[in-house]
Amino acid sequence: MNKHFYQVENPKTDEVFFTRLENRTQAGDTVVWIFDLQNRMVSQSRISINPEGNFRQEVTEYFDSMNNRTSQTILNLENSKYITAYFENAMKKGEVFKEDINKYHIWRQNPDSSYLKDYDDFKPGFNPNDLNDFYAKNLTYPLAARRSGAQGTVIVAVLISESGEAKAIELANGIQLDPVLSEEALRVVRLFKGPYTPALDLKGKPIEKWLYIPVRFKLS
């Protein structure tokens, strides 16, 4: 897997950062482990039925190099709502609850500091309406891809600095899709200038972090 946790074409290249193992339990759960090249566990996820709400969920936990849990996300696979808890020294120090597409309940350090926002500010952000308008004016469906019937979603990774600048732009899942679509997605995201908002850490300080922008191509 590459640094964005997507499969790479040649496992001998310098693009390899992680390995992935998957298992299915007798109960029907799917469990996935991701390890770094030093065989340290980076994340563990389990797809199962939520015991209380009777819906399909994915529970993902991330760990640091000392095997300390840094976050846990419970994602409702049926409506995309999620709750993410962030940990520091084994203590819960932050939380995000996605109630709706533009409604996030967030707190840091103390649950009493909860506030409402239209995006998850633990991640870099931008105004989705600005991007959709930009797509409408600039994104094209390459003729070669149309003729071949190629479609899918290209994930473009954008490294957002502490000041909200795009420091790097690259493909996250390039090998999984038609290269013509990948190039068009890259072209358009490179043209898009935001504005971007940097991610905030557990103390509310801006930090450098990757943002993942989906570019969807679907034949009608």
Side-chain angles (χ1 to χ4, degrees):
M1 304 182 76
N2 63 20
K3 61 186 173 185
H4 306 296
F5 298 97
Y6 286 93
Q7 180 184 351
V8 294
E9 189 171 9
N10 184 352
K12 295 182 181 180
T13 69
D14 293 337
E15 296 178 345
V16 177
F17 283 72
F18 305 105
T19 58
R20 181 181 186 274
L21 295 176
E22 180 175 325
N23 185 41
R24 192 168 181 84
T25 69
Q26 291 184 345
D29 298 353
T30 299
V31 185
V32 174
W33 298 270
I34 295 177
F35 300 88
D36 65 15
L37 300 186
Q38 286 72 49
N39 206 35
R40 296 173 298 201
M41 187 168 64
V42 175
S43 69
Q44 174 182 280
S45 62
R46 179 184 292 266
I47 297 176
S48 62
I49 301 297
N50 182 280
E52 298 178 1
N54 197 30
F55 56 85
R56 291 181 70 247
Q57 68 176 14
E58 182 176 31
V59 179
T60 302
E61 296 180 308
Y62 281 90
F63 303 85
D64 63 18
S65 60
M66 301 300 293
N67 201 37
N68 298 309
R69 184 174 61 170
T70 58
S71 69
Q72 180 193 64
T73 298
I74 302 175
L75 170 64
N76 185 324
L77 294 173
E78 296 177 10
N79 60 21
S80 297
K81 294 182 179 181
Y82 66 80
I83 184 167
T84 299
Y86 292 91
F87 302 91
E88 187 176 65
N89 298 324
M91 298 290 291
K92 186 176 176 180
K93 292 293 185 177
E95 183 180 275
V96 179
F97 168 51
K98 179 186 177 183
E99 182 179 353
D100 208 340
I101 189 169
N102 292 315
K103 192 174 184 180
Y104 296 81
H105 301 266
I106 304 171
W107 63 264
R108 287 175 170 81
Q109 302 302 316
N110 190 318
D112 292 336
S113 67
S114 177
Y115 57 93
L116 192 64
K117 211 159 190 178
D118 59 0
Y119 73 99
D120 181 349
D121 65 12
F122 279 93
K123 304 173 185 177
F126 58 90
N127 187 329
N129 292 327
D130 291 345
L131 184 61
N132 290 334
D133 291 342
F134 191 82
Y135 282 170
K137 296 175 182 177
N138 296 276
L139 184 65
T140 63
Y141 208 123
L143 183 58
R146 283 185 177 277
R147 287 174 173 172
S148 66
Q151 55 185 343
T153 300
V154 181
I155 305 298
V156 180
V158 183
L159 184 61
I160 305 300
S161 72
E162 298 92 331
S163 59
E165 300 297 322
K167 293 182 62 177
I169 299 175
E170 59 191 47
L171 291 174
N173 66 335
I175 71 162
Q176 301 178 12
L177 296 165
D178 187 293
V180 176
L181 297 182
S182 296
E183 285 304 314
E184 174 62 9
L186 266 180
R187 182 190 71 83
V188 171
V189 174
R190 283 170 177 157
L191 287 175
F192 182 65
K193 303 304 180 183
Y196 295 107
T197 304
L200 304 179
D201 65 11
L202 281 169
K203 295 182 179 180
K205 180 182 177 181
I207 56 172
E208 182 177 286
K209 200 169 187 178
W210 286 99
L211 168 69
Y212 297 98
I213 299 179
V215 185
R216 297 179 177 86
F217 296 91
K218 185 176 182 180
L219 292 169
S220 57

